[in-house]
Amino acid sequence: MCFDDMELTMEKQTNVVEAKHRSNKVSWSIENLSIPNGLIYPQPSTQKGRTDVNCVTNWNVPLVWEGTFDPIVIDAIYKKTNPRVGVMIFAVGKYTGFLKGFLETGEKHFLTDFRVTYYIFTDNEKEVPAIALGKGRKITVLPVPSAKRWQEVVFGRMKWATITIDKQIRNEADYLFLMDVDSLFHNRIGAESFSRLSAVLHRGYYKNTERANFPYERHPESRAYIPVGEGDYYYTAAVLGGYLEDIYNLVRYCYEQSEEDSKNKIEAVWQEESHLNKYLLYNKPTKVLSPEYLWSDYDAVPADIKVVRISQLKKNYAEVRPNGGH
Ligand code: UD2
């Protein structure tokens, strides 16, 4: 390698966007794709399948839509290793009012045959409702400070998730989700959502938006900056999942980058979602979930969304957020 090449390689290395303190611990993983003998399910086809949407990314991982998996087969594969699933949800201030609906519908539709712990981060433990939970499922309440601005809460999710994984969750969960609480489950979310790192396409930008128009952070001063001309998709920060250590690397990255911005008095345009989008551009998810995995009651459901699995509720922003506003 000549000197110029070496310089180029070194420059490239310093440009790598990844968690500074990457965890290299081994977490639970899917080891093989075996299923129990005698499982009955329809024969899969090599010719028929979804043709109205793209079911694979250009880095060749699945883009998951209804009709691209068989729930019986995929649940059987993952059920075998019986992962301990954690769901981190924040309910700070008035958002505790969303817990009941989220948990009750989660019990009907979310990984129903799996072990699940809902980690509820809240400033008001008394408002956590008592919900009848299925076998192997529980709630753990984690206190966090109240906030004067909603922006503090959404950024704080990355901070408190990082701290709490280190302190507690690492010993209790194999697979972790981070979800917005102001939503209801309407249909199955199962093992098809599992992968090392699974991210959801934001419903607002998934089919008709040029990447130059994605709401990425465009100020070069911010650590979340993505130049025009780059980008795959725009992902929502409202639903995320992955192996524990992969989620840890992601939340820690977003936390540290937003701290850097804050030292420079910068707040990225879509807060933690902007940092998340930067991370996922350079650390590609191993599965991309269609907007079936987070729709919104504000929007009509188009023909390509055959099943709404979770939908964000309409909310009175002025009423629920400590400082109002959109
Ligand atoms: C968008 C994103 C959200 C986040 C936010 C950041 C979608 C569908 N949602 O949502 O994930 O990236 O923008 O700008 O893309 N929360 C509280 N108390 C508060 C405020 C927020 O507990 O006072 C929690 C709660 O879990 C809530 C979540 O933070 O579900 C996201 O906040 P939001 O729902 O107000 O943000 P929203 O809907 O604009």
Side-chain angles (χ1 to χ4, degrees), residues 54-253:
N54 187 0
C55 302
V56 65
T57 71
N58 70 357
W59 57 98
N60 206 20
V61 304
L63 215 169
V64 181
W65 307 83
E66 176 68 358
T68 61
F69 59 89
D70 182 328
I72 296 173
V73 178
I74 199 124
D75 280 358
I77 290 171
Y78 283 85
K79 196 69 232 284
K80 202 179 47 177
T81 57
N82 201 13
R84 297 166 300 170
V85 178
V87 189
M88 300 185 288
I89 323 143
F90 283 69
V92 175
K94 302 249 173 77
Y95 280 69
T96 50
F98 295 112
L99 280 169
K100 189 168 186 290
F102 180 92
L103 295 166
E104 279 179 353
T105 57
E107 283 306 278
K108 284 200 194 112
H109 301 293
F110 180 68
L111 287 164
T112 45
D113 289 331
F114 288 79
R115 294 189 274 176
V116 171
T117 300
Y118 297 99
Y119 291 98
I120 302 177
F121 296 74
T122 183
D123 59 342
N124 192 350
E125 195 168 335
K126 287 196 221 93
E127 297 279 313
V128 176
I131 302 285
L133 299 173
K135 189 166 160 270
R137 301 166 77 96
K138 61 180 193 258
I139 289 176
T140 296
V141 179
L142 300 158
V144 288
S146 302
K148 293 201 178 68
R149 301 172 67 235
W150 62 266
Q151 293 88 341
E152 273 173 52
V153 184
V154 294
F155 276 125
R157 297 200 283 187
M158 298 302 181
K159 170 179 168 179
W160 294 110
T162 305
I163 293 172
T164 316
I165 292 171
D166 268 335
K167 225 170 79 183
Q168 176 175 354
I169 302 177
R170 176 169 284 122
N171 302 320
E172 302 176 353
D174 304 305
Y175 197 89
L176 262 189
F177 284 88
L178 177 61
M179 291 188 177
D180 276 15
V181 74
D182 56 325
S183 5
L184 296 181
F185 295 83
H186 295 282
N187 279 293
R188 168 207 159 84
I189 294 198
E192 79 286 353
S193 67
F194 286 160
S195 82
R196 186 164 173 179
L197 186 58
S198 299
V200 178
L201 299 179
H202 192 296
R203 72 180 193 286
Y205 311 95
Y206 76 102
K207 58 179 166 186
N208 296 320
T209 310
E210 294 285 328
R211 61 182 163 189
N213 298 324
F214 286 158
Y216 291 152
E217 173 56 60
R218 299 300 190 184
H219 293 95
E221 310 82 59
S222 169
R223 302 297 285 259
Y225 171 64
I226 297 178
V228 170
E230 292 193 43
D232 302 314
Y233 305 116
Y234 189 79
Y235 303 99
T236 175
V239 177
L240 261 179
Y243 294 175
L244 183 127
E245 296 300 341
D246 290 84
I247 291 291
Y248 178 75
N249 288 332
L250 181 154
V251 294
R252 183 159 180 171
Y253 170 88

